[in-house]
Amino acid sequence: MLKGKHIILGITGSIAAYKSAVLCRLLVSAGAEVKVVMTPLAKQFITPLTMATLSKNPILVDFFNPENGEWNSHVSLGEWADCYLIAPATANTMAKMASGVADNLLLTTYLSARCKVAIAPAMDLDMYRHASTQRNMTQLRADGVHIIEPQSGELASGLVGKGRMAEPQDIVREVEAMFDEKKKSLQGKHFLVTAGATIEPIDPVRFISNHSSGKMGYAVAEALAQRGAKVSLVSGRTALGVPVGVERIDVLSAEQMYEACCRLWAEVDGAIMCAAVADYTPAVVADQKIKKGEDDMSIALKRTHDIAATLGENKGSRLLVGFAMETENEMANAESKLQRKNMDFIVLNSLRQEGAGFRGDTNVVSLIDSESRVDLPLMSKREVADRIVDKMESVLVEKN
Ligand code: C5P
């Protein structure tokens, strides 16, 4: 896949730069031609000599060679490359990329690059989850940069959490996937994905909601978009950025989600219902903030529409996939939902399993259709999303 491909490997000043040596070697062994650009600080973490030897090309750090004035043209570098991979990418470099700062060769090359760009962030967990870093990542995604997710684990600071640069072999796999046009297997298809929690207002300041983070649904939307599908993501409340190539329709209540989904149902080839939709909503929404009194109070609730069931009633040849999150009688409940809502398959996630459920980045699920059940091991939500999309593809083949 990488044979003959021109790759610029950008290295920034992170302790994870020691892994860039292995990464460079793997890229070269896969047949790529690699040129390395380093920020001035990166030289403190790994020597240019090491990188020059492994990449078989001189290292580029400065705008020009101070000895002879020879210009290191970021423009021609940007034109030469098929892919610009920045690994490790520090919070500092990501912030500069997000706002177009161009104060070193690595950054001017980014602004000149017309090729695919991927970054592998590496930093301490607090830096990674800081609102500004997350905001910059959202911006970079929107700018078309592919982000190779950092891993959770022990960090150089001694803390444990998310922020460790992905392993070199995983980075190479993601770069290969970026070049793999065969993966555009869902080109021409359009899917509706629901995600996140709905918000049911009680009065102007209070609401009923749930713990859904939206991560699973967003991962499914991203997986579908990466395979070339058009994706309409009807999203309740989440703190997540919109994945590249996905159109997001923001809603709050179950009623708004219902209306958006019914509208889209006529246009799509299928829907994946990942949202945690409220089953009940206050019968009356107070115009003013409800005042506390001496007595206890109760709120009358009415049923919301079951969106998945409504789509299932008028399914035609479309594909319908649902989720079941159960705390008891998991299999029986999941199977009954599968039939009641006329779904092609259902993804069961049990709250009883370690590493499964609401807010985390991992999940443990079973894929259940009318004939079979496949139990998947603990994996990242993004990997689960790929397995769900694999199954969707095989159901689509059966349907045709
Ligand atoms: O019946 P239950 O809510 O457990 O079913 C879960 C599945 O149905 C999920 O796929 C969820 O997104 C979907 N659902 C829906 N509308 C509702 C409730 C659930 O689309 N009102």
Side-chain angles (χ1 to χ4, degrees):
M1 199 70 66
L2 296 183
K3 203 162 175 49
K5 292 282 188 270
H6 292 172
I7 297 180
I8 308 173
L9 174 59
I11 306 179
T12 69
S14 154
I15 190 72
Y18 78 91
K19 292 188 193 170
S20 306
V22 179
L23 176 58
C24 180
R25 204 185 178 114
L26 290 174
L27 291 169
V28 171
S29 328
E33 194 179 327
V34 180
K35 291 188 180 177
V36 176
V37 184
M38 296 169 84
T39 61
L41 189 63
K43 289 195 292 182
Q44 312 278 335
F45 290 90
I46 186 149
T47 71
L49 178 62
T50 305
M51 295 312 304
T53 311
L54 293 172
S55 68
K56 306 187 173 89
N57 274 311
I59 301 308
L60 305 158
V61 179
D62 300 309
F63 289 113
F64 56 88
N65 182 335
E67 259 135 52
N68 58 16
E70 195 187 328
W71 181 242
N72 288 327
S73 169
H74 53 91
V75 178
S76 45
L77 247 187
E79 282 173 354
W80 170 83
D82 298 308
C83 174
Y84 189 7
L85 168 65
I86 302 177
T90 55
N92 179 48
T93 290
M94 281 163 46
K96 289 180 180 179
M97 288 168 75
S99 51
V101 174
D103 63 357
N104 62 41
L105 187 66
L106 182 142
L107 290 162
T108 48
T109 305
Y110 167 62
L111 291 179
S112 304
R114 296 190 196 149
C115 56
K116 307 169 201 298
V117 179
I119 61 172
M123 66 201 72
D124 202 52
L125 79 163
D126 293 309
M127 291 176 83
Y128 182 71
R129 66 181 170 209
H130 195 280
S132 58
T133 304
Q134 291 300 319
R135 198 166 52 237
N136 291 331
M137 290 196 358
T138 304
Q139 181 60 52
L140 289 171
R141 280 202 183 91
D143 294 342
V145 173
H146 177 74
I147 297 182
I148 302 171
E149 288 281 316
Q151 306 297 303
S152 286
E154 196 173 323
L155 302 166
S157 60
L159 297 173
V160 176
K162 190 164 177 177
R164 199 166 75 177
M165 188 173 87
E167 292 306 317
Q169 63 273 24
D170 296 331
I171 297 177
V172 172
R173 224 171 352 100
E174 292 222 21
V175 173
E176 281 174 342
M178 287 169 73
F179 284 108
D180 187 356
E181 288 306 318
K182 282 203 301 298
K183 286 236 165 124
K184 301 279 177 219
S185 43
L186 290 173
Q187 198 97 46
K189 299 278 181 211
H190 182 184
F191 292 102
L192 158 66
V193 181
T194 67
T198 59
I199 298 237
E200 308 302 323
I202 297 169
D203 69 15
V205 291
R206 303 177 180 102
F207 56 80
I208 299 173
S209 191
N210 58 66
H211 291 300
S212 170
S213 64
K215 285 181 181 169
M216 194 59 246
Y218 275 56
V220 169
E222 185 176 83
L224 287 166
Q226 272 180 11
R227 296 196 198 184
K230 177 176 173 188
V231 183
S232 299
L233 174 63
V234 176
S235 174
R237 194 178 63 158
T238 76
L240 303 171
V242 193
V244 178
V246 169
E247 177 208 24
R248 184 168 77 182
I249 299 111
D250 288 313
V251 295
L252 288 174
S253 64
E255 182 65 21
Q256 288 172 358
M257 187 171 273
Y258 170 76
E259 280 166 14
C261 291
C262 291
R263 225 176 17 250
L264 281 160
W265 193 226
E267 303 172 18
V268 297
D269 297 289
I272 306 89
M273 315 300 288
C274 309
V277 188
D279 292 325
Y280 294 91
T281 192
V284 181
V285 182
D287 288 341
Q288 306 298 334
K289 184 178 171 194
I290 300 171
K291 290 285 176 205
K292 64 171 167 288
E294 291 304 314
D295 299 329
D296 292 345
M297 71 168 292
S298 54
I299 300 170
L301 299 175
K302 63 177 185 190
R303 273 303 315 261
T304 54
H305 294 284
D306 190 315
I307 306 168
T310 309
L311 303 187
E313 275 166 23
N314 167 26
K315 194 166 115 179
S317 58
R318 295 181 200 84
L319 184 76
L320 187 60
V321 181
F323 272 73
M325 174 163 283
E326 302 295 341
T327 54
E328 58 181 355
N329 300 330
E330 296 158 359
M331 258 320 267
N333 283 332
E335 276 171 352
S336 112
K337 248 169 243 183
L338 180 73
Q339 285 186 359
R340 196 157 31 85
K341 306 194 188 199
N342 197 14
M343 291 165 168
D344 291 280
F345 68 93
I346 193 156
V347 184
L348 168 65
N349 44 124
S350 163
L351 280 181
R352 282 193 270 176
Q353 299 260 14
E354 180 90 10
F358 284 125
R359 293 199 193 94
D361 293 322
T362 56
N363 214 350
V364 184
V365 306
S366 306
L367 307 182
I368 302 163
D369 61 26
S370 54
E371 276 149 28
S372 67
R373 165 188 177 149
V374 176
D375 297 323
L376 300 180
L378 175 75
M379 45 175 88
S380 72
K381 286 187 173 168
R382 188 61 186 73
E383 280 173 290
V384 171
D386 268 323
R387 302 295 286 268
I388 292 170
V389 176
D390 286 344
K391 180 150 175 89
M392 285 171 62
E393 287 199 26
S394 44
V395 175
L396 281 172
V397 169
E398 279 164 29
K399 279 183 186 275
N400 288 324

